[in-house]
Amino acid sequence: MTKKKIWSMALALMLTLSFMGCGKEAEPAKEDGILLGVSQIGSESAWRIGNTRDIEEQADRYGINLMMENANQKQENQIAAIRRFIAYKVDVIAFSPIVEEGWDNVLKEAKDAGIPVILVDRDINTAKEGLTTCLIGADFYKEGVMAAEYLIRKADALEMDHVNIVEIAGTENSTPMRQRQAGFYDTIANDPRMTVLESIDGDFLKSRGAECMRYFLETYGDQIDAVYSHNDEMTLGALPEIEKAEFVPGQDIIIISIDGGQEAINVLKEGKINCVVECTPKLGSALMETVLKLKNGEAVDALIHPEEEVFSDEMDTSTIAPRGY
Ligand code: GYE
């Protein structure tokens, strides 16, 4: 082999390797000795389970030691977990507040102990300044807007002159419930065809989604044109009830969901759900980056929203990539 040929082969190999590297996420440097305490809400949905898994995987990837506690849907368990993290002197605390109110005392304790707190996924409502450092989570208001915009387009396409909506809402007083509702209501307010017949708290649970839907069907029967459900689990609970009542979901009743987990996307592909607004649970790497910055005394962004899209029967659903949750 000539020298020239060896050089050109080596060059080709280097180029191939560098291109192969392009598609991969760069591995972060492993940290040593950082302890992060995370209080997770529970395991109510595929979203939540995916979020827990992502935080565990990313902590591992960054070499951050994780103390993760599952509060089983109870605020008092989250408060107790945060108190344990303070007693344990973790470096940083992160938590997804189940509801917005009632955190001032425990967060003041964290502040007095000099431990920075990151809000993950959901926000809090407080009059006190400086209890938390930042929020890493979805723009729920925008999700509500996108859900309503889809419904308006669908009503146009079907030439409907009025649309009666029933709403299965997420956990009362939680940020996604409040903002998904506000974004949706503000957007349909401009369209005189739209009426919300009733909204009920389905607590983001499949069983509650089924109960709410049974009640709606008994109360409003064939008046219902559309279901707006704040998460996939409640939607998946509602669909069999609609079928039992002999309506065809996706045809007789327009179904709109939020999250975009694999199971809901499969049902979208079958045509029983019309639209799923994405809410990504993959907040782990942004969380770990923020933990490192706080540990190093660097400034952090007050608000980090991931990019999200809409999946619907307006598109070729066969092109939707596997969702991973
Ligand atoms: O939509 C739902 C859940 O806070 C964004 O919580 C999250 C919501 C999500 O369990 O499925």
Side-chain angles (χ1 to χ4, degrees), residues 44-45 47-48 121-122 140 176 180 204 230-231 259 279:
E44 73 280 8
S45 62
W47 190 100
R48 186 69 51 203
D121 164 33
R122 300 185 184 179
F140 302 128
R180 285 172 182 169
F204 287 125
H230 287 195
N231 84 340
D259 275 356
C279 179

Side-chain angles (χ1 to χ4, degrees), residues 44-45 122 169-171 174 176-177 180 201-206 208 230-231 233-234:
E44 73 280 8
S45 62
R122 300 185 184 179
T171 305
S174 71
M177 178 268 147
R180 285 172 182 169
D201 172 15
D203 209 9
F204 287 125
L205 298 170
K206 190 171 185 175
R208 288 282 305 135
H230 287 195
N231 84 340
E233 250 58 39
M234 298 188 294

Side-chain angles (χ1 to χ4, degrees), residues 36 82 194 235 238 259 286:
L36 168 66
I82 295 170
M194 304 286 161
T235 311
D259 275 356

Side-chain angles (χ1 to χ4, degrees), residues 126-192:
T126 178
K128 295 215 168 72
E129 292 270 310
L131 292 181
T132 58
T133 56
C134 63
L135 167 63
I136 303 168
D139 185 343
F140 302 128
Y141 184 88
K142 191 170 160 200
E143 292 171 355
V145 170
M146 293 194 288
E149 286 174 346
Y150 167 82
L151 186 57
I152 292 170
R153 289 197 301 276
K154 185 75 177 174
D156 290 343
L158 297 176
E159 297 179 8
M160 298 168 81
D161 50 22
H162 73 270
V163 184
N164 286 330
I165 305 156
V166 291
E167 180 184 35
I168 311 179
T171 305
E172 208 177 349
N173 300 328
S174 71
T175 315
M177 178 268 147
R178 285 179 170 165
Q179 295 187 7
R180 285 172 182 169
Q181 181 168 78
F184 188 85
Y185 284 16
D186 287 352
T187 308
I188 60 167
N190 303 319
D191 189 327

Side-chain angles (χ1 to χ4, degrees), residues 6 13 17 32 78 87 105 134 140 148 192 198 206 213 223 226-227 234 237 240 255 273 280 299 308:
I6 293 174
L13 184 67
L17 287 176
D32 226 4
Q78 288 201 287
N105 291 342
C134 63
F140 302 128
E198 196 170 340
K206 190 171 185 175
M213 197 66 228
Q223 279 177 268
V227 174
M234 298 188 294
I255 311 291
I273 294 179
T280 179
E308 298 182 326

